[in-house]
Amino acid sequence: MIEALRNELGKRSWWMNLIFAFCLYMTFIYMPFDIFLKPMAEDEEVWFGFTLHGFWAKATAPLHWLIYAGLAWGFFRMSRWMWPWAAVYAAQVAIAMLVWNLLDPRGRGWGFGLIAGAVFLLPTVALWRARRAFQSPADNAS
């Protein structure tokens, strides 16, 4: 069992394993909670930095679930289609962090938005530069 885990973790760099673990968490723990247990009145989803509430948040949450499940599957298989799409999604999150901080009443303005966006640019650049990692023979033409 330990050897199988080591082999699985060895398919990716440490930072990719962190992103993979985050996608697994979102797919199997957070999104099911968000969709099935969180009351609609409390639900929020952020798309491109714009916060949706209530019905529209609940209605669009399954799209987030599909995105995280797709990313988790792509990282598990190290699928070719992950490049460039994982980087594109991460870039969208970086931009959304800036937009959210400018538009949402809870946001902290330009400065904090730029800092938060810059933090998310780190995995964006790393994923963009990781093209070869997604072109390994382990792809199995999926």
Side-chain angles (χ1 to χ4, degrees):
M1 173 100 163
I2 298 295
E3 191 61 33
L5 181 60
R6 279 192 189 132
N7 289 338
E8 184 58 41
L9 294 175
K11 292 180 186 177
R12 289 163 228 88
S13 61
W14 67 269
W15 60 268
M16 250 189 238
N17 279 320
L18 287 176
I19 297 172
F20 178 40
F22 176 76
C23 292
L24 289 172
Y25 165 78
M26 294 299 286
T27 301
F28 294 108
I29 298 171
Y30 184 77
M31 292 310 299
F33 161 78
D34 190 44
I35 293 170
F36 300 118
L37 299 175
K38 187 185 285 183
M40 189 180 303
E42 297 175 18
D43 207 1
E44 292 185 337
E45 293 290 318
V46 177
W47 290 95
F48 305 102
F50 296 90
T51 306
L52 304 178
H53 302 274
F55 171 80
W56 288 110
K58 196 63 82 175
T60 59
L63 297 173
H64 267 144
W65 199 8
L66 287 172
I67 290 167
Y68 285 119
L71 288 167
W73 182 253
F75 277 116
F76 175 68
R77 299 290 306 259
M78 291 304 289
S79 299
R80 286 183 185 198
W81 59 264
M82 286 288 282
W83 193 93
W85 299 113
V88 169
Y89 184 74
Q92 177 275 143
V93 171
I95 293 166
M97 293 301 289
L98 172 62
V99 173
W100 185 87
N101 273 284
L102 294 174
L103 299 181
D104 196 278
R106 296 165 292 182
R108 296 188 177 154
W110 278 100
F112 197 80
L114 287 172
I115 292 167
V119 168
F120 281 91
L121 279 178
L122 296 173
T124 300
V125 171
L127 286 163
W128 185 261
R129 296 182 67 196
R131 184 177 192 167
R132 286 187 175 188
F134 295 111
Q135 294 181 333
S136 68
D139 190 356
N140 296 327
S142 60

Short mmCIF file of all heavy atoms in Angstrom, two decimals, residues 45-67:
data_model
loop_
_atom_site.label_atom_id
_atom_site.label_comp_id
_atom_site.label_asym_id
_atom_site.label_seq_id
_atom_site.Cartn_x
_atom_site.Cartn_y
_atom_site.Cartn_z
N GLU A 45 -21.14 31.14 -5.09
CA GLU A 45 -20.18 30.64 -6.06
C GLU A 45 -19.54 31.85 -6.72
O GLU A 45 -20.24 32.83 -7.03
CB GLU A 45 -20.85 29.77 -7.14
CG GLU A 45 -21.41 28.48 -6.66
CD GLU A 45 -20.34 27.45 -6.26
OE1 GLU A 45 -19.33 27.32 -6.97
OE2 GLU A 45 -20.54 26.79 -5.24
N VAL A 46 -18.26 31.80 -6.94
CA VAL A 46 -17.56 32.90 -7.59
C VAL A 46 -17.13 32.43 -8.97
O VAL A 46 -16.45 31.41 -9.12
CB VAL A 46 -16.34 33.38 -6.77
CG1 VAL A 46 -15.59 34.48 -7.50
CG2 VAL A 46 -16.78 33.84 -5.39
N TRP A 47 -17.56 33.18 -9.99
CA TRP A 47 -17.21 32.91 -11.39
C TRP A 47 -16.56 34.16 -11.96
O TRP A 47 -17.16 35.21 -12.02
CB TRP A 47 -18.46 32.55 -12.19
CG TRP A 47 -19.03 31.22 -11.82
CD1 TRP A 47 -20.04 30.96 -10.93
CD2 TRP A 47 -18.60 29.95 -12.31
NE1 TRP A 47 -20.26 29.62 -10.85
CE2 TRP A 47 -19.40 28.96 -11.70
CE3 TRP A 47 -17.63 29.54 -13.22
CZ2 TRP A 47 -19.24 27.60 -11.95
CZ3 TRP A 47 -17.48 28.19 -13.48
CH2 TRP A 47 -18.28 27.25 -12.86
N PHE A 48 -15.31 34.03 -12.34
CA PHE A 48 -14.55 35.14 -12.95
C PHE A 48 -14.52 36.37 -12.04
O PHE A 48 -14.45 37.49 -12.52
CB PHE A 48 -15.12 35.49 -14.33
CG PHE A 48 -15.19 34.32 -15.26
CD1 PHE A 48 -16.38 33.66 -15.49
CD2 PHE A 48 -14.03 33.84 -15.88
CE1 PHE A 48 -16.44 32.56 -16.33
CE2 PHE A 48 -14.08 32.74 -16.72
CZ PHE A 48 -15.29 32.10 -16.94
N GLY A 49 -14.61 36.15 -10.73
CA GLY A 49 -14.55 37.23 -9.77
C GLY A 49 -15.91 37.78 -9.36
O GLY A 49 -16.00 38.58 -8.45
N PHE A 50 -16.97 37.35 -10.02
CA PHE A 50 -18.34 37.80 -9.71
C PHE A 50 -18.99 36.77 -8.80
O PHE A 50 -19.01 35.58 -9.12
CB PHE A 50 -19.17 37.97 -10.99
CG PHE A 50 -18.64 39.05 -11.89
CD1 PHE A 50 -17.69 38.74 -12.87
CD2 PHE A 50 -19.06 40.35 -11.75
CE1 PHE A 50 -17.19 39.73 -13.70
CE2 PHE A 50 -18.57 41.35 -12.58
CZ PHE A 50 -17.63 41.04 -13.56
N THR A 51 -19.53 37.22 -7.68
CA THR A 51 -20.13 36.31 -6.70
C THR A 51 -21.61 36.13 -6.99
O THR A 51 -22.36 37.10 -7.08
CB THR A 51 -19.96 36.87 -5.27
OG1 THR A 51 -18.58 37.15 -5.04
CG2 THR A 51 -20.47 35.88 -4.24
N LEU A 52 -22.00 34.87 -7.15
CA LEU A 52 -23.40 34.51 -7.30
C LEU A 52 -23.92 34.03 -5.95
O LEU A 52 -23.19 33.39 -5.20
CB LEU A 52 -23.57 33.41 -8.34
CG LEU A 52 -23.00 33.68 -9.74
CD1 LEU A 52 -23.21 32.48 -10.63
CD2 LEU A 52 -23.63 34.93 -10.34
N HIS A 53 -25.18 34.33 -5.66
CA HIS A 53 -25.77 33.96 -4.37
C HIS A 53 -27.03 33.14 -4.60
O HIS A 53 -27.66 33.22 -5.66
CB HIS A 53 -26.15 35.22 -3.58
CG HIS A 53 -25.01 36.14 -3.33
ND1 HIS A 53 -24.16 35.99 -2.27
CD2 HIS A 53 -24.55 37.21 -4.02
CE1 HIS A 53 -23.24 36.93 -2.30
NE2 HIS A 53 -23.46 37.69 -3.36
N GLY A 54 -27.41 32.37 -3.58
CA GLY A 54 -28.69 31.68 -3.57
C GLY A 54 -28.90 30.73 -4.72
O GLY A 54 -28.07 29.87 -5.00
N PHE A 55 -30.03 30.91 -5.43
CA PHE A 55 -30.40 29.99 -6.50
C PHE A 55 -29.31 29.86 -7.56
O PHE A 55 -28.96 28.76 -7.98
CB PHE A 55 -31.72 30.43 -7.16
CG PHE A 55 -32.02 29.64 -8.39
CD1 PHE A 55 -32.57 28.36 -8.29
CD2 PHE A 55 -31.73 30.14 -9.65
CE1 PHE A 55 -32.83 27.61 -9.43
CE2 PHE A 55 -31.98 29.40 -10.79
CZ PHE A 55 -32.54 28.13 -10.69
N TRP A 56 -28.78 31.00 -8.02
CA TRP A 56 -27.78 30.95 -9.09
C TRP A 56 -26.48 30.31 -8.62
O TRP A 56 -25.79 29.63 -9.39
CB TRP A 56 -27.55 32.33 -9.69
CG TRP A 56 -28.73 32.75 -10.50
CD1 TRP A 56 -29.62 33.73 -10.20
CD2 TRP A 56 -29.18 32.14 -11.71
NE1 TRP A 56 -30.60 33.78 -11.15
CE2 TRP A 56 -30.36 32.81 -12.10
CE3 TRP A 56 -28.72 31.10 -12.50
CZ2 TRP A 56 -31.07 32.48 -13.24
CZ3 TRP A 56 -29.43 30.76 -13.65
CH2 TRP A 56 -30.58 31.44 -14.01
N ALA A 57 -26.13 30.49 -7.39
CA ALA A 57 -24.96 29.81 -6.84
C ALA A 57 -25.19 28.30 -6.83
O ALA A 57 -24.35 27.51 -7.26
CB ALA A 57 -24.66 30.31 -5.43
N LYS A 58 -26.34 27.89 -6.35
CA LYS A 58 -26.67 26.46 -6.28
C LYS A 58 -26.77 25.86 -7.69
O LYS A 58 -26.33 24.74 -7.92
CB LYS A 58 -27.99 26.28 -5.52
CG LYS A 58 -28.27 24.89 -5.05
CD LYS A 58 -27.27 24.38 -4.05
CE LYS A 58 -27.53 24.82 -2.65
NZ LYS A 58 -26.60 24.19 -1.69
N ALA A 59 -27.31 26.64 -8.63
CA ALA A 59 -27.48 26.15 -9.99
C ALA A 59 -26.14 25.98 -10.72
O ALA A 59 -26.01 25.09 -11.56
CB ALA A 59 -28.38 27.10 -10.78
N THR A 60 -25.16 26.81 -10.39
CA THR A 60 -23.87 26.73 -11.10
C THR A 60 -22.83 25.89 -10.36
O THR A 60 -21.79 25.58 -10.93
CB THR A 60 -23.29 28.14 -11.36
OG1 THR A 60 -23.11 28.82 -10.12
CG2 THR A 60 -24.22 28.95 -12.26
N ALA A 61 -23.10 25.53 -9.12
CA ALA A 61 -22.15 24.73 -8.34
C ALA A 61 -21.78 23.41 -9.03
O ALA A 61 -20.60 23.01 -8.99
CB ALA A 61 -22.67 24.48 -6.93
N PRO A 62 -22.73 22.72 -9.68
CA PRO A 62 -22.32 21.48 -10.37
C PRO A 62 -21.27 21.70 -11.46
O PRO A 62 -20.46 20.80 -11.73
CB PRO A 62 -23.64 20.95 -10.96
CG PRO A 62 -24.69 21.48 -10.03
CD PRO A 62 -24.19 22.86 -9.65
N LEU A 63 -21.25 22.89 -12.05
CA LEU A 63 -20.19 23.18 -13.04
C LEU A 63 -18.82 23.22 -12.36
O LEU A 63 -17.84 22.71 -12.90
CB LEU A 63 -20.49 24.49 -13.75
CG LEU A 63 -21.76 24.53 -14.59
CD1 LEU A 63 -22.01 25.94 -15.11
CD2 LEU A 63 -21.66 23.54 -15.73
N HIS A 64 -18.77 23.84 -11.17
CA HIS A 64 -17.51 23.82 -10.41
C HIS A 64 -17.12 22.38 -10.07
O HIS A 64 -15.95 22.01 -10.13
CB HIS A 64 -17.63 24.64 -9.12
CG HIS A 64 -17.20 26.05 -9.27
ND1 HIS A 64 -17.81 27.08 -8.61
CD2 HIS A 64 -16.21 26.62 -9.98
CE1 HIS A 64 -17.22 28.22 -8.91
NE2 HIS A 64 -16.24 27.96 -9.74
N TRP A 65 -18.11 21.59 -9.68
CA TRP A 65 -17.86 20.19 -9.34
C TRP A 65 -17.26 19.45 -10.54
O TRP A 65 -16.28 18.71 -10.40
CB TRP A 65 -19.15 19.54 -8.88
CG TRP A 65 -19.00 18.28 -8.08
CD1 TRP A 65 -17.85 17.72 -7.60
CD2 TRP A 65 -20.05 17.43 -7.65
NE1 TRP A 65 -18.12 16.58 -6.90
CE2 TRP A 65 -19.47 16.38 -6.91
CE3 TRP A 65 -21.43 17.45 -7.81
CZ2 TRP A 65 -20.23 15.36 -6.35
CZ3 TRP A 65 -22.18 16.43 -7.23
CH2 TRP A 65 -21.57 15.40 -6.52
N LEU A 66 -17.83 19.66 -11.72
CA LEU A 66 -17.30 19.02 -12.93
C LEU A 66 -15.88 19.49 -13.24
O LEU A 66 -15.04 18.68 -13.66
CB LEU A 66 -18.21 19.29 -14.13
CG LEU A 66 -19.53 18.54 -14.14
CD1 LEU A 66 -20.42 19.05 -15.28
CD2 LEU A 66 -19.29 17.05 -14.26
N ILE A 67 -15.62 20.76 -13.05
CA ILE A 67 -14.28 21.29 -13.31
C ILE A 67 -13.27 20.64 -12.37
O ILE A 67 -12.21 20.15 -12.82
CB ILE A 67 -14.25 22.82 -13.18
CG1 ILE A 67 -15.02 23.46 -14.33
CG2 ILE A 67 -12.81 23.35 -13.12
CD1 ILE A 67 -15.32 24.94 -14.14
#
